[in-house]
Amino acid sequence: MSLREMAAKGLASFDPNKDSVEAPQGLPAGDYKAAVSSIEHRSFDSGWDCFGTTFEVVEGDHAGQKENVNISFAEKSKAGKAIPDFILDRNIKFVSKLGAFSGVDITADDFGGENETDIHEHLANKLHEHVGTLVILKVSVRPNKKDPSNPYTSYDLDQTDQPEAIDIGDDDLPDSLQSSDKAPMPTDDDAPDDGKDPLPF
């Protein structure tokens, strides 16, 4: 993308009289075929921790761009205010979908930890081996009246076809790459004679 094209794209929805230069640079609203590139328990200097997933777009104009989705199962905010049930329900269903598309059954028991940190750690351990799963990442963006430069972003997932595993045996490889029990082990006689002493090991 040329600088001119980048400017046209960036300025199309930018109001220099109102919008911040530091506006979030995440994916715009839309559906993206993406690979799960990371699943982990994340913690931050603020003390907040979460179940985190990174998605990398694999095709289209945003190919290569990554989107971090951090969700928490804390039932109270730092101020002690109860987190609304609809937010917790949405987060539970998001992880359930991620599990289903990765071939992992997520049940109510997976949310029975002593606290949110235990739950985040448990879910990360249960799912982290399934990095590479392809999904459709659905990004929704809505205005934030209190902070217009920082819109609310929410996520959903849809299933997509997974790449077929490639099964390659010795018979499919060129002769020079095939393994052989009869291949002789190299010896000192096979080393090039360059007049230097061999390394002392």
Side-chain angles (χ1 to χ4, degrees), residues 130-150:
H130 298 277
V131 165
T133 299
L134 291 179
V135 297
I136 301 299
L137 178 66
K138 302 169 77 69
V139 180
S140 301
V141 179
R142 58 190 175 85
N144 180 347
K145 293 179 181 178
K146 293 181 180 177
D147 183 3
S149 67
N150 188 25

Side-chain angles (χ1 to χ4, degrees), residues 71-73 86-96 111:
I71 57 179
S72 171
F73 294 101
F86 81 89
I87 292 177
L88 294 170
D89 181 62
R90 181 184 64 198
N91 291 348
I92 289 167
K93 289 175 178 173
F94 183 90
V95 175
S96 176
F111 301 92

Side-chain angles (χ1 to χ4, degrees), residues 55-117:
F55 298 89
E56 183 171 349
V57 179
V58 297
E59 62 184 27
D61 292 343
H62 293 273
Q65 187 169 337
K66 294 184 178 182
E67 188 83 354
N68 288 312
V69 178
N70 296 322
I71 57 179
S72 171
F73 294 101
E75 297 180 64
K76 289 187 177 180
S77 68
K78 281 186 178 180
K81 194 174 179 181
I83 301 296
D85 287 350
F86 81 89
I87 292 177
L88 294 170
D89 181 62
R90 181 184 64 198
N91 291 348
I92 289 167
K93 289 175 178 173
F94 183 90
V95 175
S96 176
K97 276 187 151 186
L98 180 61
F101 300 160
S102 302
V104 177
D105 189 23
I106 300 294
T107 70
D109 290 340
D110 291 310
F111 301 92
E114 293 275 330
N115 52 55
E116 69 269 17
T117 297

Side-chain angles (χ1 to χ4, degrees), residues 165-199:
I166 300 174
D167 185 17
I168 297 179
D170 273 356
D171 293 341
D172 300 314
L173 297 172
D175 291 342
S176 61
L177 295 178
Q178 289 185 13
S179 62
S180 172
D181 294 335
K182 298 177 182 177
M185 291 294 291
T187 66
D188 288 343
D189 295 336
D190 296 319
D193 185 9
D194 57 5
K196 297 179 181 177
D197 291 333
L199 293 175

